[in-house]
Amino acid sequence: MIDVNGVKVGGEQLVVMAGPCSVESLDQLREAAQAVKAGGAHFLRGGAFKPRTSPYDFQGLAEEGLKLLRQVADENDLRVVTEIVDKDDIELVGKYADVYQVGARNMQNFQLLKALGKVKKPVMLKRGLSATISEWLNAAEYIAAGGNENIIFCERGIRTYETYTRNTLDLSAVAAIKELSHLPIIVDPSHGTGRWQMVQPMARAAVAAGADGLIIEVHPHPEVALSDGDQSLTPKNFNLLMSDLGKIAEVMGRKI
Amino acid sequence: MIDVNGVKVGGEQLVVMAGPCSVESLDQLREAAQAVKAGGAHFLRGGAFKPRTSPYDFQGLAEEGLKLLRQVADENDLRVVTEIVDKDDIELVGKYADVYQVGARNMQNFQLLKALGKVKKPVMLKRGLSATISEWLNAAEYIAAGGNENIIFCERGIRTYETYTRNTLDLSAVAAIKELSHLPIIVDPSHGTGRWQMVQPMARAAVAAGADGLIIEVHPHPEVALSDGDQSLTPKNFNLLMSDLGKIAEVMGRKI
Amino acid sequence: MIDVNGVKVGGEQLVVMAGPCSVESLDQLREAAQAVKAGGAHFLRGGAFKPRTSPYDFQGLAEEGLKLLRQVADENDLRVVTEIVDKDDIELVGKYADVYQVGARNMQNFQLLKALGKVKKPVMLKRGLSATISEWLNAAEYIAAGGNENIIFCERGIRTYETYTRNTLDLSAVAAIKELSHLPIIVDPSHGTGRWQMVQPMARAAVAAGADGLIIEVHPHPEVALSDGDQSLTPKNFNLLMSDLGKIAEVMGRKI
Amino acid sequence: MIDVNGVKVGGEQLVVMAGPCSVESLDQLREAAQAVKAGGAHFLRGGAFKPRTSPYDFQGLAEEGLKLLRQVADENDLRVVTEIVDKDDIELVGKYADVYQVGARNMQNFQLLKALGKVKKPVMLKRGLSATISEWLNAAEYIAAGGNENIIFCERGIRTYETYTRNTLDLSAVAAIKELSHLPIIVDPSHGTGRWQMVQPMARAAVAAGADGLIIEVHPHPEVALSDGDQSLTPKNFNLLMSDLGKIAEVMGRKI
């Protein structure tokens, strides 16, 4: 069980992290934060450093984005989870975030993992695009070997031949991690499917499979999002999702 | 909604098909049938014609197996679902079975599909090992084009690079089929994972994702099963699973 | 080494099978046959029974197509290889063809394989869309177990996440089959890549990897082909390919 | 065409990089270097920083390994190519190496790529484990955007469901890169297959497909190698390979 300033990950409480893919502006982020707080989320998510396939795509607001995340999270009593892509930014990101997120592309960036092993702040380790369960556990070991055992796994879909979905969300990874590790695991149905219509059923399924939480993309206006609009829920749909999850959580002996 | 001698697939009722991978003997099958009936299953499953990777592996009891299926299903008021691998067997299998199962390897055996289009009896069409959602829908179209629209999809895991599980169970296929088709879909967490320990969490997840039912391998003595022992539940674990599913079903507005 | 009416597959001679994806008409087929003969091919290929993803796509000319294949092959002293999709057609197809082709979708259609085990005519067994080397060898065993050991393997690309090519041509399968089996293997760079521009480099590579032959789509007018126009060579490009292959063949101690 | 201290990559000359997976000791490296030089290689390869799946596996000799690489390369008039895993090591590695290698796991480590964009020394960019051609080209763009256009692509196999080989060597990537880019591409049949018996046929095939060079693992005593022994050639087999390649190169209008 990992304690993030009072929010326990891996216990009875199902933890919900929500917010936009990228931090775009104060207005956008504040609107998103108020919406996810109203829906019942515990964390605000949002990218300030965006690792994009092309160098010519929007790369994020960097420190300015981090500041906005901290500010609106504090306004709404939310924790902050945000991606780190460079070990030189550990101190900088740590100043604003409660949880470091390591993205799929960096799951085997061992230099970054080793550096995160030397801090105490929790790390959310996303599964690599085509990482096996065994490689994922070993990647966590790179962090743990340095002394930081505050690791949260995050299943976000794997790469397969299927093109209807952006990735193939592998919920059996939840059961596998529960068998092989004592660490918590959360699920990202937004990246896992790439289609907002699928987020609700797959979020329910993730909780029923035993996940300890969810990370979900919510954008006040998905149609104008700078990234990942297709997979972002509106605040209204996020609310519907949360009330749905509450019922599944109860069956699983958990609360939300 | 498909009516199988009074059991409706695709309606409020969650349908559970259970039984051994292969029909091995009267004793084995009767013990399995009594156990799955006691647990609440609606269908007895079991293979009489087994398409095995090697020609030297056990190939099934053929008509003798079909007779046993019908006999013990009738003793326990269960419906019979069993695999058909040859269009010449349509009449023979139809004499004993309530639902024809088309296995993953035959999903694009278009001669078999066309022949099944000419009967009225329901067909359960498993997804091919590496079939896209679109190819799967088109395969169903081969059956429907002949006039038989009583088709049940069955997600049973796709082939990926991951070796911890036998296949990767793609529960997003449930949501996809619900978006793209009016036909029911059930899930096979036994083949989908290949590990009995994962069957219960993935069965729960399937129901939460919106599946209309489940097909589950149950063997009275998995350790001596002629095939798929590793993924078969004992009767006791099947009971636990069913009581678990009841609660999820209720949340989903369904009964079991 | 398999003797197909005087053409030996698996010996010093590199065997080239060429022709259109589908038999469309006498004119189209005759033009293709003359072109591939002129280029140096030994077999005419062409589909009379086409297993298509959708039931509403062109399904082939059936027996009429077989007759055309035999006729124009005989006019040009070519052997005929054509796909069989139904065990009931063994006699019919055998009347016209020199080699039965089992397509990727039917690699584990064990009823078809068993039936082909009972004839003497050679069978070209394409690798399934996501078949392992081991499953492929076992599929051949289904034919051989019946007494027909005249089996030619055909690597035609496997399904992966890559979308630039239609499939991923796995030339290491050539080396693997050479290690594990005494049977010949040929390569299909047309289906293996799905792009005619890649056929020439991949055909060369196949021969350099040790393949015993090639099967190549050639269409007199690819832009109006009823199927697979994108991956078909024009007669002119087929000629260029053949002269290129001659040089690689020589280095490999083979002739073409 | 990229000039590496007089060795041109991407021209008439086929470039061969060879050596052990890891630098283990002066004796091992010297023996390997003499062998690969005798065989006709132009570059010495060898890892001083080893990104290993588990943190408890051998991680390389670091700077000591770099020094040995430079020393024995100079003794044998070879260029040095070696992996860089950390942008902080650019100066250090650059002191000893002629070409920076970015490994498959770091293909989308954009911070490392951006940093390498600011130097002039050539970079060999391996394809990610499950990177598409398009993602690979975009990764190169991260380097080029910074001003360093001395980029060599390296195909080293992609991750698929097949387990007979370590990866699936995708030689169609050679043809694809030749279509889409003006940059050179070399092939790594050692990692691409994971089996030394397959290195020779796949190396021939790579050259026939149009590759500009090869990178091959050679170890004086593969049976005691600290990593990748199964895929390493002995000096004797490397010699056989090189004489084989010479003949294919000639057909391709190149020299070796």
Side-chain angles (χ1 to χ4, degrees), chain B residues 88-115:
Chain B
D88 294 351
D89 295 335
I90 287 187
E91 207 181 343
L92 174 71
V93 174
K95 223 166 92 186
Y96 301 102
D98 299 297
V99 172
Y100 292 106
Q101 174 182 322
V102 176
R105 290 180 183 86
N106 283 313
M107 192 203 84
Q108 290 192 317
N109 179 341
F110 298 131
Q111 304 311 108
L112 179 60
L113 302 181
K114 284 178 194 169

Side-chain angles (χ1 to χ4, degrees), chain C residues 48-164:
Chain C
F49 297 102
K50 301 296 306 170
R52 304 298 297 277
T53 301
S54 163
Y56 310 119
D57 286 341
F58 175 60
Q59 306 276 316
L61 297 182
E63 186 170 5
E64 180 55 25
L66 296 174
K67 282 183 187 162
L68 294 176
L69 277 168
R70 186 75 267 162
Q71 179 189 335
V72 305
D74 285 345
E75 289 171 9
N76 293 282
D77 187 26
L78 291 164
R79 309 294 171 277
V80 169
V81 57
T82 196
E83 182 160 0
I84 181 159
V85 297
D86 191 329
K87 67 184 162 55
D88 294 351
D89 295 335
I90 286 187
E91 205 179 346
L92 175 70
V93 174
K95 222 165 94 187
Y96 302 101
D98 299 299
V99 172
Y100 293 106
Q101 174 182 321
V102 175
R105 290 179 182 87
N106 283 313
M107 192 201 84
Q108 290 192 318
N109 179 341
F110 298 131
Q111 303 313 108
L112 178 59
L113 302 182
K114 283 178 195 168
L116 288 167
K118 294 188 189 125
V119 297
K120 287 290 158 221
K121 206 161 264 205
V123 177
M124 184 175 80
L125 179 65
K126 287 197 152 192
R127 184 177 181 183
L129 242 73
S130 64
T132 61
I133 299 287
S134 163
E135 289 167 341
W136 197 12
L137 290 168
N138 272 295
E141 206 62 35
Y142 268 93
I143 303 170
N148 184 357
E149 301 195 1
N150 296 313
I151 303 163
I152 303 164
F153 288 104
C154 177
E155 162 64 30
R156 46 76 72 203
I158 57 172
R159 184 160 272 185
T160 69
Y161 65 85
E162 177 61 71
T163 54
Y164 187 73

Side-chain angles (χ1 to χ4, degrees), chain B residues 198-217:
Chain B
M198 287 187 164
V199 170
Q200 187 159 339
M202 295 312 279
R204 283 194 314 253
V207 173
D212 297 302
L214 293 159
I215 180 163
I216 290 170
E217 291 194 352

